[in-house]
Amino acid sequence: MDEAKIFEELTPIFHDVFDDEEIILKPETNAADIPDWDSVAQIRLVVAIEKRFKIKFKTKDLEDLKNVGDMVELIKIKTA
């Protein structure tokens, strides 16, 4: 799956988890950019992404993520 397709699939997940249709994802988007992105939202986001892409993340995978671009790369690896 290519990056553009992953971003296309991630956008509605972010809209749903954060209840904000205005979110525009970019590779550099991070938790500081989305006011409601707290630890509970992080868990909901991870679960929704795992479900949508039919993948499982390890805690170590998630600890290394700095932004949405890193998440997209991880999804690319997990879905390859």
Side-chain angles (χ1 to χ4, degrees), residues 10-11 13-15 17-20 22-26 28-39 41-42 45 68:
L10 280 178
T11 298
I13 294 171
F14 273 76
H15 290 172
V17 167
F18 297 106
D19 194 28
D20 184 353
E22 303 297 316
I23 294 173
I24 299 171
L25 292 182
K26 300 175 189 158
E28 62 273 7
T29 301
N30 63 43
D33 299 322
I34 301 175
D36 293 332
W37 194 336
D38 59 16
S39 58
Q42 176 76 12
L45 185 62
V68 173

Side-chain angles (χ1 to χ4, degrees), residues 13-79:
I13 294 171
F14 273 76
H15 290 172
D16 182 53
V17 167
F18 297 106
D19 194 28
D20 184 353
E21 298 290 320
E22 303 297 316
I23 294 173
I24 299 171
L25 292 182
K26 300 175 189 158
E28 62 273 7
T29 301
N30 63 43
D33 299 322
I34 301 175
D36 293 332
W37 194 336
D38 59 16
S39 58
V40 174
Q42 176 76 12
I43 293 166
R44 291 180 58 223
L45 185 62
V46 167
V47 169
I49 292 169
E50 287 179 331
K51 188 180 219 181
R52 168 59 196 90
F53 291 96
K54 296 175 178 60
I55 57 177
K56 281 288 185 195
F57 296 116
K58 294 180 178 155
T59 303
K60 177 68 175 140
D61 294 335
L62 300 173
E63 289 172 350
D64 294 337
L65 300 179
K66 294 178 190 74
N67 53 41
V68 173
D70 289 349
M71 174 64 81
V72 169
E73 286 302 314
L74 182 57
I75 292 169
K76 248 171 58 173
I77 291 165
K78 295 269 185 191
T79 58

